[in-house]
Amino acid sequence: MIPAGFAYRRASTVDEALALLAEHGDEAKLLAGGHSLLPLMKLRFAAPEVVVDIAPLTELKFVRLDGNEVVIGALSRYHDLEHDPVLAEHAPLLAHVSGAVGDPQVRHRGTIGGSLVHADAAADLPAAVLAADGTLVARGPSGERTIPAADFFLGPFTTPLEPDELLTEIRLPSQAGQGWGFEKFTRRAIDWAIVGVAVTGKAVGLINMGGTPLRASATEAALASGATAAEAAALAAEDTSPPEEPHATSEYRKHLARVLTARALASAGIS
Ligand SMILES: Cc1cc2nc3c(=O)[nH]c(=O)nc-3n(C[C@H](O)[C@H](O)[C@H](O)COP(=O)(O)OP(=O)(O)OC[C@H]3O[C@@H](n4cnc5c(N)ncnc54)[C@H](O)[C@@H]3O)c2cc1C
């Protein structure tokens, strides 16, 4: 498939990217790793008139510690996150999940910011950031604002970001020393999850169990009130509406959520 025609603009600073967004408004789309935007353009589900390439923004490729928070630049690629020593110590779930996305080509191009803004409920990082109580930082014409991950995923492929805003960084409280676990059930090795579960401490994120990434609230509440991991995992599909597809029914996904939560809790050292 061939995308509709578009103008290509390259931004080399955040200010330049914001100026281009202000100039072109709704007609512009940011291009980070391109691994979601370009397939959509080729299928003509997206047809921006202007593509603003932000891949060169080295100022948004970093991982650093700020007090008790890990701060991740939005243009950081999965491969870099998977191998980052600060993340390995302070957000080991996120480092591991980054290494479970797609295949090596996807991990060398795709960015954490692109994944969060694309807001696919089947994607891996959004549920991990949600479980880690992350905060997203966006910059726009009226300055900077922070959005808790819990308020960021409004619906399928829908976030509160305005067309003239750029996601700049993701902040997570340090999870150093906490147990964590990740389970991703796929049909083939490099596929998206049919269902996935991300656990850090006693927080549980669910992948592909509804229109957005979710927290397994009933499981978390049960753990907080002293239930065993087995009792809590049995509640993992409460209040979820997973998609119904020929290869994975909604009921099958609910079963997977319970089984995978039990496994992820065990990996996190919760019994
Ligand atoms: C073969 C294949 C397999 C894949 N497998 C998986 C998988 O197993 N798990 C998984 O989670 N994902 C998977 N993906 C998706 C992949 O993770 C994408 O990289 C990701 O969804 C989007 O990140 P990107 O950097 O490529 O963003 P892009 O495609 O460049 O952009 C995606 C969207 O986000 C916007 N955007 C990007 N960056 C910013 C920013 N900083 N501020 C504001 N808006 C921004 C863009 O305008 C666009 O709307 C796969 C993709 C492919 C092609």
PDB file of all heavy atoms in Angstrom, residues 141-178:
ATOM      1  N   PRO A 141       1.871  25.008  23.154  1.00  0.00           N
ATOM      2  CA  PRO A 141       2.043  26.459  23.026  1.00  0.00           C
ATOM      3  C   PRO A 141       1.886  27.194  24.343  1.00  0.00           C
ATOM      4  O   PRO A 141       2.487  28.242  24.555  1.00  0.00           O
ATOM      5  CB  PRO A 141       0.945  26.876  22.047  1.00  0.00           C
ATOM      6  CG  PRO A 141       0.115  25.688  21.791  1.00  0.00           C
ATOM      7  CD  PRO A 141       0.789  24.475  22.331  1.00  0.00           C
ATOM      8  N   SER A 142       1.074  26.622  25.285  1.00  0.00           N
ATOM      9  CA  SER A 142       0.903  27.354  26.555  1.00  0.00           C
ATOM     10  C   SER A 142       1.784  26.784  27.660  1.00  0.00           C
ATOM     11  O   SER A 142       1.500  26.985  28.841  1.00  0.00           O
ATOM     12  CB  SER A 142      -0.567  27.375  26.950  1.00  0.00           C
ATOM     13  OG  SER A 142      -1.146  26.120  26.738  1.00  0.00           O
ATOM     14  N   GLY A 143       2.811  26.065  27.296  1.00  0.00           N
ATOM     15  CA  GLY A 143       3.764  25.573  28.288  1.00  0.00           C
ATOM     16  C   GLY A 143       3.663  24.078  28.525  1.00  0.00           C
ATOM     17  O   GLY A 143       3.196  23.337  27.666  1.00  0.00           O
ATOM     18  N   GLU A 144       4.070  23.680  29.748  1.00  0.00           N
ATOM     19  CA  GLU A 144       4.184  22.247  30.060  1.00  0.00           C
ATOM     20  C   GLU A 144       3.032  21.825  30.958  1.00  0.00           C
ATOM     21  O   GLU A 144       2.591  22.605  31.800  1.00  0.00           O
ATOM     22  CB  GLU A 144       5.511  22.056  30.784  1.00  0.00           C
ATOM     23  CG  GLU A 144       5.953  20.615  30.884  1.00  0.00           C
ATOM     24  CD  GLU A 144       7.389  20.526  31.390  1.00  0.00           C
ATOM     25  OE1 GLU A 144       8.321  20.566  30.571  1.00  0.00           O
ATOM     26  OE2 GLU A 144       7.562  20.421  32.620  1.00  0.00           O
ATOM     27  N   ARG A 145       2.549  20.602  30.789  1.00  0.00           N
ATOM     28  CA  ARG A 145       1.565  20.077  31.753  1.00  0.00           C
ATOM     29  C   ARG A 145       1.883  18.609  31.997  1.00  0.00           C
ATOM     30  O   ARG A 145       2.483  17.924  31.149  1.00  0.00           O
ATOM     31  CB  ARG A 145       0.134  20.265  31.279  1.00  0.00           C
ATOM     32  CG  ARG A 145      -0.236  19.502  30.019  1.00  0.00           C
ATOM     33  CD  ARG A 145      -1.725  19.675  29.714  1.00  0.00           C
ATOM     34  NE  ARG A 145      -2.070  19.024  28.457  1.00  0.00           N
ATOM     35  CZ  ARG A 145      -3.160  18.295  28.283  1.00  0.00           C
ATOM     36  NH1 ARG A 145      -4.000  18.080  29.293  1.00  0.00           N
ATOM     37  NH2 ARG A 145      -3.422  17.764  27.099  1.00  0.00           N
ATOM     38  N   THR A 146       1.466  18.112  33.175  1.00  0.00           N
ATOM     39  CA  THR A 146       1.698  16.710  33.510  1.00  0.00           C
ATOM     40  C   THR A 146       0.348  15.999  33.584  1.00  0.00           C
ATOM     41  O   THR A 146      -0.644  16.559  34.061  1.00  0.00           O
ATOM     42  CB  THR A 146       2.427  16.562  34.860  1.00  0.00           C
ATOM     43  OG1 THR A 146       1.663  17.239  35.848  1.00  0.00           O
ATOM     44  CG2 THR A 146       3.814  17.145  34.819  1.00  0.00           C
ATOM     45  N   ILE A 147       0.345  14.757  33.102  1.00  0.00           N
ATOM     46  CA  ILE A 147      -0.895  13.979  33.064  1.00  0.00           C
ATOM     47  C   ILE A 147      -0.589  12.604  33.675  1.00  0.00           C
ATOM     48  O   ILE A 147       0.258  11.867  33.148  1.00  0.00           O
ATOM     49  CB  ILE A 147      -1.374  13.782  31.604  1.00  0.00           C
ATOM     50  CG1 ILE A 147      -1.437  15.138  30.873  1.00  0.00           C
ATOM     51  CG2 ILE A 147      -2.730  13.070  31.571  1.00  0.00           C
ATOM     52  CD1 ILE A 147      -1.494  15.025  29.364  1.00  0.00           C
ATOM     53  N   PRO A 148      -1.246  12.244  34.780  1.00  0.00           N
ATOM     54  CA  PRO A 148      -1.019  10.898  35.322  1.00  0.00           C
ATOM     55  C   PRO A 148      -1.425   9.843  34.285  1.00  0.00           C
ATOM     56  O   PRO A 148      -2.413  10.045  33.556  1.00  0.00           O
ATOM     57  CB  PRO A 148      -1.955  10.841  36.538  1.00  0.00           C
ATOM     58  CG  PRO A 148      -2.344  12.249  36.825  1.00  0.00           C
ATOM     59  CD  PRO A 148      -2.238  13.008  35.550  1.00  0.00           C
ATOM     60  N   ALA A 149      -0.681   8.752  34.239  1.00  0.00           N
ATOM     61  CA  ALA A 149      -1.020   7.685  33.271  1.00  0.00           C
ATOM     62  C   ALA A 149      -2.466   7.238  33.448  1.00  0.00           C
ATOM     63  O   ALA A 149      -3.145   6.905  32.472  1.00  0.00           O
ATOM     64  CB  ALA A 149      -0.055   6.507  33.441  1.00  0.00           C
ATOM     65  N   ALA A 150      -2.965   7.281  34.695  1.00  0.00           N
ATOM     66  CA  ALA A 150      -4.347   6.853  34.958  1.00  0.00           C
ATOM     67  C   ALA A 150      -5.358   7.722  34.214  1.00  0.00           C
ATOM     68  O   ALA A 150      -6.494   7.292  33.991  1.00  0.00           O
ATOM     69  CB  ALA A 150      -4.624   6.892  36.462  1.00  0.00           C
ATOM     70  N   ASP A 151      -4.966   8.957  33.827  1.00  0.00           N
ATOM     71  CA  ASP A 151      -5.884   9.851  33.107  1.00  0.00           C
ATOM     72  C   ASP A 151      -5.523   9.987  31.630  1.00  0.00           C
ATOM     73  O   ASP A 151      -6.113  10.811  30.918  1.00  0.00           O
ATOM     74  CB  ASP A 151      -5.840  11.269  33.721  1.00  0.00           C
ATOM     75  CG  ASP A 151      -6.281  11.263  35.173  1.00  0.00           C
ATOM     76  OD1 ASP A 151      -7.073  10.378  35.545  1.00  0.00           O
ATOM     77  OD2 ASP A 151      -5.814  12.145  35.925  1.00  0.00           O
ATOM     78  N   PHE A 152      -4.531   9.243  31.193  1.00  0.00           N
ATOM     79  CA  PHE A 152      -4.007   9.471  29.834  1.00  0.00           C
ATOM     80  C   PHE A 152      -4.716   8.626  28.771  1.00  0.00           C
ATOM     81  O   PHE A 152      -4.885   9.053  27.641  1.00  0.00           O
ATOM     82  CB  PHE A 152      -2.502   9.182  29.818  1.00  0.00           C
ATOM     83  CG  PHE A 152      -1.821   9.635  28.550  1.00  0.00           C
ATOM     84  CD1 PHE A 152      -1.575  10.992  28.325  1.00  0.00           C
ATOM     85  CD2 PHE A 152      -1.434   8.718  27.584  1.00  0.00           C
ATOM     86  CE1 PHE A 152      -0.952  11.417  27.155  1.00  0.00           C
ATOM     87  CE2 PHE A 152      -0.807   9.140  26.409  1.00  0.00           C
ATOM     88  CZ  PHE A 152      -0.566  10.482  26.197  1.00  0.00           C
ATOM     89  N   PHE A 153      -5.129   7.419  29.145  1.00  0.00           N
ATOM     90  CA  PHE A 153      -5.705   6.514  28.139  1.00  0.00           C
ATOM     91  C   PHE A 153      -7.227   6.622  28.201  1.00  0.00           C
ATOM     92  O   PHE A 153      -7.884   6.003  29.033  1.00  0.00           O
ATOM     93  CB  PHE A 153      -5.215   5.080  28.383  1.00  0.00           C
ATOM     94  CG  PHE A 153      -3.715   5.005  28.386  1.00  0.00           C
ATOM     95  CD1 PHE A 153      -3.010   4.854  29.569  1.00  0.00           C
ATOM     96  CD2 PHE A 153      -3.013   5.137  27.194  1.00  0.00           C
ATOM     97  CE1 PHE A 153      -1.623   4.821  29.577  1.00  0.00           C
ATOM     98  CE2 PHE A 153      -1.627   5.112  27.184  1.00  0.00           C
ATOM     99  CZ  PHE A 153      -0.926   4.949  28.379  1.00  0.00           C
ATOM    100  N   LEU A 154      -7.783   7.456  27.323  1.00  0.00           N
ATOM    101  CA  LEU A 154      -9.204   7.795  27.414  1.00  0.00           C
ATOM    102  C   LEU A 154     -10.082   6.787  26.694  1.00  0.00           C
ATOM    103  O   LEU A 154     -11.261   6.643  27.010  1.00  0.00           O
ATOM    104  CB  LEU A 154      -9.442   9.190  26.818  1.00  0.00           C
ATOM    105  CG  LEU A 154      -8.697  10.343  27.492  1.00  0.00           C
ATOM    106  CD1 LEU A 154      -9.024  11.655  26.801  1.00  0.00           C
ATOM    107  CD2 LEU A 154      -9.052  10.408  28.979  1.00  0.00           C
ATOM    108  N   GLY A 155      -9.544   6.106  25.698  1.00  0.00           N
ATOM    109  CA  GLY A 155     -10.318   5.144  24.911  1.00  0.00           C
ATOM    110  C   GLY A 155      -9.389   4.557  23.876  1.00  0.00           C
ATOM    111  O   GLY A 155      -8.201   4.895  23.865  1.00  0.00           O
ATOM    112  N   PRO A 156      -9.902   3.689  22.988  1.00  0.00           N
ATOM    113  CA  PRO A 156      -9.014   3.100  21.982  1.00  0.00           C
ATOM    114  C   PRO A 156      -8.332   4.196  21.152  1.00  0.00           C
ATOM    115  O   PRO A 156      -9.006   5.046  20.575  1.00  0.00           O
ATOM    116  CB  PRO A 156      -9.968   2.269  21.109  1.00  0.00           C
ATOM    117  CG  PRO A 156     -11.182   2.041  21.958  1.00  0.00           C
ATOM    118  CD  PRO A 156     -11.283   3.226  22.871  1.00  0.00           C
ATOM    119  N   PHE A 157      -7.021   4.212  21.162  1.00  0.00           N
ATOM    120  CA  PHE A 157      -6.220   5.150  20.367  1.00  0.00           C
ATOM    121  C   PHE A 157      -6.575   6.612  20.684  1.00  0.00           C
ATOM    122  O   PHE A 157      -6.467   7.472  19.821  1.00  0.00           O
ATOM    123  CB  PHE A 157      -6.401   4.871  18.860  1.00  0.00           C
ATOM    124  CG  PHE A 157      -6.140   3.426  18.499  1.00  0.00           C
ATOM    125  CD1 PHE A 157      -7.188   2.566  18.220  1.00  0.00           C
ATOM    126  CD2 PHE A 157      -4.852   2.933  18.467  1.00  0.00           C
ATOM    127  CE1 PHE A 157      -6.957   1.236  17.916  1.00  0.00           C
ATOM    128  CE2 PHE A 157      -4.602   1.600  18.161  1.00  0.00           C
ATOM    129  CZ  PHE A 157      -5.658   0.751  17.881  1.00  0.00           C
ATOM    130  N   THR A 158      -6.992   6.879  21.905  1.00  0.00           N
ATOM    131  CA  THR A 158      -7.431   8.229  22.275  1.00  0.00           C
ATOM    132  C   THR A 158      -6.760   8.670  23.574  1.00  0.00           C
ATOM    133  O   THR A 158      -6.815   7.966  24.586  1.00  0.00           O
ATOM    134  CB  THR A 158      -8.964   8.257  22.473  1.00  0.00           C
ATOM    135  OG1 THR A 158      -9.573   7.669  21.323  1.00  0.00           O
ATOM    136  CG2 THR A 158      -9.473   9.675  22.634  1.00  0.00           C
ATOM    137  N   THR A 159      -6.142   9.864  23.518  1.00  0.00           N
ATOM    138  CA  THR A 159      -5.491  10.436  24.697  1.00  0.00           C
ATOM    139  C   THR A 159      -5.909  11.910  24.824  1.00  0.00           C
ATOM    140  O   THR A 159      -6.469  12.467  23.880  1.00  0.00           O
ATOM    141  CB  THR A 159      -3.948  10.388  24.575  1.00  0.00           C
ATOM    142  OG1 THR A 159      -3.536  11.421  23.668  1.00  0.00           O
ATOM    143  CG2 THR A 159      -3.446   9.042  24.087  1.00  0.00           C
ATOM    144  N   PRO A 160      -5.603  12.551  25.958  1.00  0.00           N
ATOM    145  CA  PRO A 160      -5.965  13.969  26.089  1.00  0.00           C
ATOM    146  C   PRO A 160      -4.989  14.913  25.394  1.00  0.00           C
ATOM    147  O   PRO A 160      -5.170  16.125  25.483  1.00  0.00           O
ATOM    148  CB  PRO A 160      -5.941  14.191  27.613  1.00  0.00           C
ATOM    149  CG  PRO A 160      -5.080  13.122  28.156  1.00  0.00           C
ATOM    150  CD  PRO A 160      -5.056  11.990  27.190  1.00  0.00           C
ATOM    151  N   LEU A 161      -3.964  14.399  24.715  1.00  0.00           N
ATOM    152  CA  LEU A 161      -2.999  15.297  24.052  1.00  0.00           C
ATOM    153  C   LEU A 161      -3.695  16.081  22.937  1.00  0.00           C
ATOM    154  O   LEU A 161      -4.458  15.525  22.160  1.00  0.00           O
ATOM    155  CB  LEU A 161      -1.866  14.492  23.417  1.00  0.00           C
ATOM    156  CG  LEU A 161      -0.672  14.091  24.264  1.00  0.00           C
ATOM    157  CD1 LEU A 161       0.477  13.670  23.369  1.00  0.00           C
ATOM    158  CD2 LEU A 161      -0.240  15.193  25.216  1.00  0.00           C
ATOM    159  N   GLU A 162      -3.384  17.358  22.853  1.00  0.00           N
ATOM    160  CA  GLU A 162      -3.904  18.194  21.774  1.00  0.00           C
ATOM    161  C   GLU A 162      -2.983  18.042  20.553  1.00  0.00           C
ATOM    162  O   GLU A 162      -1.812  17.693  20.697  1.00  0.00           O
ATOM    163  CB  GLU A 162      -3.929  19.667  22.228  1.00  0.00           C
ATOM    164  CG  GLU A 162      -4.830  19.941  23.422  1.00  0.00           C
ATOM    165  CD  GLU A 162      -6.319  19.719  23.106  1.00  0.00           C
ATOM    166  OE1 GLU A 162      -6.679  19.773  21.920  1.00  0.00           O
ATOM    167  OE2 GLU A 162      -7.087  19.489  24.051  1.00  0.00           O
ATOM    168  N   PRO A 163      -3.511  18.348  19.353  1.00  0.00           N
ATOM    169  CA  PRO A 163      -2.681  18.193  18.151  1.00  0.00           C
ATOM    170  C   PRO A 163      -1.416  19.052  18.173  1.00  0.00           C
ATOM    171  O   PRO A 163      -0.449  18.736  17.486  1.00  0.00           O
ATOM    172  CB  PRO A 163      -3.612  18.645  17.005  1.00  0.00           C
ATOM    173  CG  PRO A 163      -4.984  18.628  17.558  1.00  0.00           C
ATOM    174  CD  PRO A 163      -4.882  18.757  19.047  1.00  0.00           C
ATOM    175  N   ASP A 164      -1.426  20.142  18.978  1.00  0.00           N
ATOM    176  CA  ASP A 164      -0.230  20.999  18.998  1.00  0.00           C
ATOM    177  C   ASP A 164       0.671  20.708  20.205  1.00  0.00           C
ATOM    178  O   ASP A 164       1.529  21.506  20.553  1.00  0.00           O
ATOM    179  CB  ASP A 164      -0.634  22.482  18.979  1.00  0.00           C
ATOM    180  CG  ASP A 164      -1.593  22.840  20.114  1.00  0.00           C
ATOM    181  OD1 ASP A 164      -1.901  21.958  20.930  1.00  0.00           O
ATOM    182  OD2 ASP A 164      -2.013  24.013  20.177  1.00  0.00           O
ATOM    183  N   GLU A 165       0.453  19.547  20.854  1.00  0.00           N
ATOM    184  CA  GLU A 165       1.286  19.183  22.010  1.00  0.00           C
ATOM    185  C   GLU A 165       2.229  18.030  21.663  1.00  0.00           C
ATOM    186  O   GLU A 165       1.894  17.151  20.866  1.00  0.00           O
ATOM    187  CB  GLU A 165       0.404  18.759  23.189  1.00  0.00           C
ATOM    188  CG  GLU A 165      -0.262  19.920  23.904  1.00  0.00           C
ATOM    189  CD  GLU A 165      -1.033  19.440  25.128  1.00  0.00           C
ATOM    190  OE1 GLU A 165      -1.875  18.530  24.977  1.00  0.00           O
ATOM    191  OE2 GLU A 165      -0.805  19.989  26.214  1.00  0.00           O
ATOM    192  N   LEU A 166       3.349  18.047  22.353  1.00  0.00           N
ATOM    193  CA  LEU A 166       4.372  17.011  22.168  1.00  0.00           C
ATOM    194  C   LEU A 166       4.620  16.340  23.515  1.00  0.00           C
ATOM    195  O   LEU A 166       4.802  17.040  24.519  1.00  0.00           O
ATOM    196  CB  LEU A 166       5.650  17.705  21.694  1.00  0.00           C
ATOM    197  CG  LEU A 166       6.867  16.868  21.426  1.00  0.00           C
ATOM    198  CD1 LEU A 166       6.836  16.402  19.973  1.00  0.00           C
ATOM    199  CD2 LEU A 166       8.140  17.699  21.631  1.00  0.00           C
ATOM    200  N   LEU A 167       4.608  15.031  23.537  1.00  0.00           N
ATOM    201  CA  LEU A 167       4.972  14.327  24.768  1.00  0.00           C
ATOM    202  C   LEU A 167       6.491  14.401  24.894  1.00  0.00           C
ATOM    203  O   LEU A 167       7.204  14.022  23.963  1.00  0.00           O
ATOM    204  CB  LEU A 167       4.516  12.865  24.682  1.00  0.00           C
ATOM    205  CG  LEU A 167       4.789  11.999  25.897  1.00  0.00           C
ATOM    206  CD1 LEU A 167       3.931  12.448  27.076  1.00  0.00           C
ATOM    207  CD2 LEU A 167       4.509  10.532  25.594  1.00  0.00           C
ATOM    208  N   THR A 168       6.975  14.911  26.026  1.00  0.00           N
ATOM    209  CA  THR A 168       8.426  15.089  26.154  1.00  0.00           C
ATOM    210  C   THR A 168       9.076  14.043  27.055  1.00  0.00           C
ATOM    211  O   THR A 168      10.151  13.556  26.776  1.00  0.00           O
ATOM    212  CB  THR A 168       8.767  16.490  26.697  1.00  0.00           C
ATOM    213  OG1 THR A 168       8.024  16.707  27.897  1.00  0.00           O
ATOM    214  CG2 THR A 168       8.457  17.558  25.667  1.00  0.00           C
ATOM    215  N   GLU A 169       8.418  13.731  28.182  1.00  0.00           N
ATOM    216  CA  GLU A 169       9.045  12.750  29.069  1.00  0.00           C
ATOM    217  C   GLU A 169       8.017  11.971  29.875  1.00  0.00           C
ATOM    218  O   GLU A 169       6.849  12.360  29.972  1.00  0.00           O
ATOM    219  CB  GLU A 169      10.088  13.406  29.978  1.00  0.00           C
ATOM    220  CG  GLU A 169       9.540  14.486  30.877  1.00  0.00           C
ATOM    221  CD  GLU A 169      10.644  15.243  31.615  1.00  0.00           C
ATOM    222  OE1 GLU A 169      11.687  15.545  31.016  1.00  0.00           O
ATOM    223  OE2 GLU A 169      10.445  15.539  32.809  1.00  0.00           O
ATOM    224  N   ILE A 170       8.490  10.864  30.435  1.00  0.00           N
ATOM    225  CA  ILE A 170       7.667   9.979  31.259  1.00  0.00           C
ATOM    226  C   ILE A 170       8.392   9.855  32.579  1.00  0.00           C
ATOM    227  O   ILE A 170       9.609   9.616  32.613  1.00  0.00           O
ATOM    228  CB  ILE A 170       7.530   8.584  30.591  1.00  0.00           C
ATOM    229  CG1 ILE A 170       6.804   8.718  29.251  1.00  0.00           C
ATOM    230  CG2 ILE A 170       6.785   7.607  31.489  1.00  0.00           C
ATOM    231  CD1 ILE A 170       7.688   8.865  28.066  1.00  0.00           C
ATOM    232  N   ARG A 171       7.675  10.061  33.680  1.00  0.00           N
ATOM    233  CA  ARG A 171       8.295  10.002  35.013  1.00  0.00           C
ATOM    234  C   ARG A 171       7.664   8.858  35.791  1.00  0.00           C
ATOM    235  O   ARG A 171       6.439   8.713  35.812  1.00  0.00           O
ATOM    236  CB  ARG A 171       8.082  11.328  35.759  1.00  0.00           C
ATOM    237  CG  ARG A 171       8.553  12.536  34.971  1.00  0.00           C
ATOM    238  CD  ARG A 171       8.343  13.832  35.729  1.00  0.00           C
ATOM    239  NE  ARG A 171       9.378  14.021  36.723  1.00  0.00           N
ATOM    240  CZ  ARG A 171      10.484  14.744  36.566  1.00  0.00           C
ATOM    241  NH1 ARG A 171      10.688  15.390  35.430  1.00  0.00           N
ATOM    242  NH2 ARG A 171      11.379  14.845  37.515  1.00  0.00           N
ATOM    243  N   LEU A 172       8.506   8.051  36.427  1.00  0.00           N
ATOM    244  CA  LEU A 172       8.020   6.916  37.217  1.00  0.00           C
ATOM    245  C   LEU A 172       8.649   6.969  38.600  1.00  0.00           C
ATOM    246  O   LEU A 172       9.855   7.215  38.706  1.00  0.00           O
ATOM    247  CB  LEU A 172       8.463   5.573  36.597  1.00  0.00           C
ATOM    248  CG  LEU A 172       8.213   5.294  35.129  1.00  0.00           C
ATOM    249  CD1 LEU A 172       8.847   3.956  34.765  1.00  0.00           C
ATOM    250  CD2 LEU A 172       6.719   5.243  34.859  1.00  0.00           C
ATOM    251  N   PRO A 173       7.864   6.701  39.655  1.00  0.00           N
ATOM    252  CA  PRO A 173       8.519   6.559  40.963  1.00  0.00           C
ATOM    253  C   PRO A 173       9.474   5.362  40.915  1.00  0.00           C
ATOM    254  O   PRO A 173       9.155   4.348  40.285  1.00  0.00           O
ATOM    255  CB  PRO A 173       7.360   6.296  41.931  1.00  0.00           C
ATOM    256  CG  PRO A 173       6.138   6.123  41.099  1.00  0.00           C
ATOM    257  CD  PRO A 173       6.430   6.484  39.684  1.00  0.00           C
ATOM    258  N   SER A 174      10.638   5.513  41.553  1.00  0.00           N
ATOM    259  CA  SER A 174      11.592   4.397  41.538  1.00  0.00           C
ATOM    260  C   SER A 174      10.960   3.154  42.142  1.00  0.00           C
ATOM    261  O   SER A 174      10.295   3.203  43.167  1.00  0.00           O
ATOM    262  CB  SER A 174      12.838   4.765  42.342  1.00  0.00           C
ATOM    263  OG  SER A 174      13.637   3.611  42.512  1.00  0.00           O
ATOM    264  N   GLN A 175      11.173   2.027  41.465  1.00  0.00           N
ATOM    265  CA  GLN A 175      10.681   0.740  41.984  1.00  0.00           C
ATOM    266  C   GLN A 175      11.851  -0.151  42.405  1.00  0.00           C
ATOM    267  O   GLN A 175      11.727  -1.377  42.413  1.00  0.00           O
ATOM    268  CB  GLN A 175       9.847   0.032  40.913  1.00  0.00           C
ATOM    269  CG  GLN A 175       8.608   0.809  40.482  1.00  0.00           C
ATOM    270  CD  GLN A 175       8.423   0.822  38.980  1.00  0.00           C
ATOM    271  OE1 GLN A 175       8.394  -0.221  38.343  1.00  0.00           O
ATOM    272  NE2 GLN A 175       8.330   2.019  38.401  1.00  0.00           N
ATOM    273  N   ALA A 176      12.969   0.507  42.752  1.00  0.00           N
ATOM    274  CA  ALA A 176      14.157  -0.266  43.128  1.00  0.00           C
ATOM    275  C   ALA A 176      13.822  -1.221  44.270  1.00  0.00           C
ATOM    276  O   ALA A 176      13.199  -0.810  45.249  1.00  0.00           O
ATOM    277  CB  ALA A 176      15.273   0.679  43.537  1.00  0.00           C
ATOM    278  N   GLY A 177      14.204  -2.458  44.118  1.00  0.00           N
ATOM    279  CA  GLY A 177      14.015  -3.444  45.181  1.00  0.00           C
ATOM    280  C   GLY A 177      12.623  -4.078  45.203  1.00  0.00           C
ATOM    281  O   GLY A 177      12.399  -5.034  45.941  1.00  0.00           O
ATOM    282  N   GLN A 178      11.683  -3.556  44.398  1.00  0.00           N
ATOM    283  CA  GLN A 178      10.342  -4.170  44.375  1.00  0.00           C
ATOM    284  C   GLN A 178      10.336  -5.403  43.480  1.00  0.00           C
ATOM    285  O   GLN A 178      11.020  -5.447  42.466  1.00  0.00           O
ATOM    286  CB  GLN A 178       9.318  -3.192  43.782  1.00  0.00           C
ATOM    287  CG  GLN A 178       8.869  -2.109  44.734  1.00  0.00           C
ATOM    288  CD  GLN A 178       7.749  -1.266  44.118  1.00  0.00           C
ATOM    289  OE1 GLN A 178       7.228  -1.562  43.054  1.00  0.00           O
ATOM    290  NE2 GLN A 178       7.401  -0.199  44.804  1.00  0.00           N
TER     291      GLN A 178
END
